[in-house]
């Protein structure tokens, strides 16, 4: 029989091992609880909090950052007259636009009342003016095309009719203006076709959703060569931004819950004079779709951290990262902190956000400068700040858990670093991809209203029509007038024509024919 003295060391060793295992389990459970708490606070903020990414101390951070530029020489600062002021505009109603037609209604006293109580006649001593906005609901009219027929009484060989201009949809009563109205209502104002059906019904016009949908498909077919021409000019540019978002397409020969994607490509330079915005529907998020769409492109492609774009990286296609996505990770890390920790200005998250604020403050100050001036100032001012940010991330990466929000933010920034710093190489590059996100937002808003596309053909037509509307907006053209002009003039070219024939309709050459966007 073993003695008690001999078994004690073994029992002690087992107990110590169990204690270490328990402590390790406790630490893992505590980290998991912290992760769940972070996710709860983040979801709560997204559900009930403000969507803005502005930091409560943003004004202070930007004021601190703007002091970096105080030492710049006058020639480096350019002829900027813009000043940052904390004074708020006085509240008040904005004046009605002078471009709106006006009808003057004058109110005068009857002659019998233009006599004072003292018996003397009254004379005009001034006027009081006030304005009231009146609206005239949309009105419809029918254009009846009458083609006069001619015949010869002598030979009676046949009849000749006066030609009618080519129409956007042959044998349809839809005019270019009606089609443009429907397109802009859906693809700019996010008004689904079933709501437009109801609106037309109130105007005593019976237009079913099926008819409206068919008109959109026919319009897209007519405008497709022009979309391809815009695609040609986008590929020629040296700076392009890209982004993507989901949509649901019902009849795409896949499971109903399968996600499809709407990709967006647009001009990405600061000083671009020929902006193009193109949407492209694809069934998946595979990076090969972007590679196919941008085939032949040579320059800088600015995107977020999605790995699918990495397939495009080459000596001809240089990927540029998005600083806003890196900053957004830290902004989320701030939102998941408990309220007491959020108020600590010296915390890791708050420190990182101040570093990003300094970079953005410089961009705000140099926005109006030339490409060369932006490049010089970025090299002198932004580059050291970027190096400081990287060193800070490297110093703190081991102090944070991988699954923690702040840990994810730091690791994302370091993983994307080679792409994030590339905006310093070219003064015409943007610091982030926010411009592309703003362009894809109209589609996201519209998706909330119409929820899904019925078929891939409809999704492709939507992509094309969204492209033309947003390209018009990017070129400061009134979308309705521009789309109406295209639908009126393109049918006149006939079925067969060279792509160069479409150059006369490019948005940047139409500024004299199409009114500006107000």
């Amino acid at each position: 029989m073993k003695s008690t003295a001999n078994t004690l060391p073994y029992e002690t060793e087992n107990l110590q091992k169990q204690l270490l295992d328990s402590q390790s389990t406790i630490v893992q459970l505590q980290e998991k609880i912290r992760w769940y708490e972070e996710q709860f606070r983040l979801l709560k903020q997204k559900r009930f909090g403000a969507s803005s990414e502005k930091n409560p101390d943003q004004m202070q951070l930007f004021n601190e950052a703007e002091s970096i530029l105080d030492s710049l020489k006058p020639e480096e600062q350019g002829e900027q007259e813009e000043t940052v002021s904390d004074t708020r505009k006085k509240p008040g109603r904005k004046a009605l636009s002078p471009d709106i037609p006006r009808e003057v209604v004058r109110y005068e006293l009857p002659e019998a009342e233009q006599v004072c109580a003292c018996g003397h006649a009254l004379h005009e001593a001034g006027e009081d003016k006030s304005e009231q906005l009146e609206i005239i609901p949309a009105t419809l009219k029918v254009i009846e095309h009458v083609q006069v027929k001619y015949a010869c009484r002598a030979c009676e060989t046949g009849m000749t009719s006066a030609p009618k201009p080519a129409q956007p949809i042959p044998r349809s009563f839809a005019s270019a203006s009606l089609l443009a109205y429907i397109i802009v209502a859906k693809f700019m104002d996010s008004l689904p076709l079933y709501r437009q059906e109801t609106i037309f019904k109130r105007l005593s016009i019976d237009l079913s959703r099926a008819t409206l949908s068919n008109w959109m498909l026919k319009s897209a077919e007519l405008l497709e060569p022009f979309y391809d021409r815009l695609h040609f000019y986008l590929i020629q540019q040296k700076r392009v931004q890209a982004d993507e978002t989901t949509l649901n397409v019902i009849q795409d020969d896949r499971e109903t819950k399968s996600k499809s994607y709407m990709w967006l490509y647009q001009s990405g330079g600061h000083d671009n004079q020929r902006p193009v915005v193109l949407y492209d529907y694809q069934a998946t998020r595979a990076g090969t779709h972007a590679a196919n769409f941008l085939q032949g492109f040579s320059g800088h492609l600015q995107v977020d951290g999605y790995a699918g774009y990495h397939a495009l990286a080459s000596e001809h296609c240089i990927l540029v990262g998005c600083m806003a996505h890196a900053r957004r990770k830290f902004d989320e890390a701030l939102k998941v902190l408990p309220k007491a920790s959020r108020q600590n200005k010296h915390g890791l998250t708050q420190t990182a956000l101040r570093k990003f604020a300094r970079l953005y403050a410089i961009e705000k100050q140099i926005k109006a400068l030339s490409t060369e001036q932006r490049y010089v100032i970025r090299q002198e001012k932004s580059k050291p700040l970027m190096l400081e940010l990287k060193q800070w991330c490297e110093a703190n990466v081991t102090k944070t858990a991988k699954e923690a929000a702040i840990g994810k933010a730091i690791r994302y920034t370091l993983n994307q670093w080679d792409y994030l710093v590339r905006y310093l190489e070219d003064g015409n590059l943007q610091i982030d991809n926010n411009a592309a996100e703003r362009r894809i937002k109209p589609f996201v808003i519209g998706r909330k209203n119409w929820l899904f596309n019925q078929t891939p053909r409809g999704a492709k037509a939507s992509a094309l029509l969204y492209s033309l509307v947003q390209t018009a907006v990017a070129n400061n053209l009134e979308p309705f007038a521009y789309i109406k002009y295209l639908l009126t003039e393109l049918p006149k070219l006939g079925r067969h024509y060279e792509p160069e024939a479409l150059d006369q309709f490019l948005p940047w050459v139409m500024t004299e024919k199409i009114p500006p966007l107000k």
Side-chain angles (χ1 to χ4, degrees), residues 111-140:
E111 284 190 30
E113 296 181 15
Q114 295 183 16
V115 179
C116 181
C118 68
H120 290 82
L122 298 177
H123 68 278
E124 292 187 14
E127 294 178 340
D128 288 329
K129 292 184 178 181
S130 61
E131 291 186 332
Q132 188 178 45
L133 188 62
E134 183 171 333
I135 187 169
I136 302 173
T139 57
L140 302 174

Side-chain angles (χ1 to χ4, degrees), residues 182-413:
I182 298 169
I183 290 170
V184 172
K186 179 176 180 180
F187 299 104
M188 184 173 181
D189 301 329
S190 304
L191 195 62
L193 295 182
Y194 76 89
R195 293 185 188 173
Q196 296 194 52
E197 177 187 17
T198 304
I199 293 172
F200 280 115
K201 189 170 292 185
R202 292 204 306 268
L203 296 172
S204 301
I205 302 296
D206 189 12
L207 287 175
S208 66
R209 273 170 283 180
T211 298
L212 296 175
S213 178
N214 185 55
W215 284 354
M216 296 300 96
L217 294 173
K218 294 291 185 180
S219 298
E221 290 177 3
L222 172 64
L223 295 167
E224 186 175 3
F226 189 66
Y227 173 92
D228 294 338
R229 194 59 179 168
L230 290 174
H231 183 202
F232 169 80
Y233 277 99
L234 179 67
I235 299 303
Q236 306 304 313
Q237 299 189 13
K238 296 298 181 183
R239 299 159 197 88
V240 171
Q241 293 179 329
D243 199 7
E244 75 288 330
T245 189
T246 61
L247 78 155
N248 189 14
V249 179
I250 302 298
Q251 301 173 6
D252 64 349
D253 298 328
R254 297 185 301 162
E255 294 182 7
T256 303
K257 295 183 179 180
S258 298
K259 289 182 179 179
S260 298
Y261 286 84
M262 188 67 79
W263 296 70
L264 172 106
Y265 307 90
Q266 72 161 21
S267 310
H270 260 290
D271 304 327
N272 192 282
Q273 301 300 317
R274 295 182 172 184
V276 177
V277 181
L278 297 181
Y279 294 76
D280 180 45
Y281 161 75
Q282 295 294 341
T284 68
R285 202 187 182 193
T288 52
H289 298 312
N292 293 334
F293 192 89
L294 296 174
Q295 188 174 5
F297 168 73
S298 179
H300 290 89
L301 175 64
Q302 190 163 35
V303 293
D304 55 25
Y306 172 50
Y309 292 109
H310 293 178
L312 282 76
S314 65
E315 59 179 339
H316 300 293
C317 183
I318 305 170
L319 295 187
V320 183
C322 175
M323 196 70 68
H325 277 77
R327 184 196 176 279
R328 191 170 299 154
K329 302 292 184 183
F330 289 96
D331 182 73
E332 292 178 355
L334 178 65
K335 290 174 181 176
V336 301
L337 290 176
K339 188 174 182 180
S341 301
R342 229 177 293 164
Q343 296 172 350
N344 177 17
K345 296 184 178 181
H346 302 288
L348 289 179
T349 305
Q350 293 86 336
T351 301
L353 288 173
R354 279 196 294 273
K355 296 181 183 298
F356 281 101
R358 294 189 182 100
L359 292 168
Y360 272 93
I362 293 175
E363 293 303 307
K364 181 180 179 182
Q365 292 291 312
I366 65 177
K367 184 178 180 180
L369 301 184
S370 67
T371 300
E372 294 75 16
Q373 289 173 323
R374 278 194 295 267
Y375 172 78
V376 171
I377 295 176
R378 283 175 176 175
Q379 293 297 312
E380 292 181 359
K381 306 299 178 183
S382 301
K383 191 173 182 178
L385 292 178
M386 289 291 288
L387 179 60
E388 180 185 327
L389 175 61
K390 183 181 182 183
Q391 292 173 344
W392 180 87
C393 289
E394 291 174 338
N396 289 282
V397 66
T398 57
K399 300 178 183 178
T400 58
K402 291 183 179 180
E403 297 302 319
I406 182 63
K408 289 181 179 179
I410 292 176
R411 286 166 176 80
Y412 176 89
T413 303

Side-chain angles (χ1 to χ4, degrees), residues 502-516:
L502 297 171
D503 289 351
Q504 59 183 309
F505 307 123
L506 293 171
W508 47 85
V509 300
M510 298 291 296
T511 53
E512 295 183 0
K513 294 183 178 179
I514 306 299

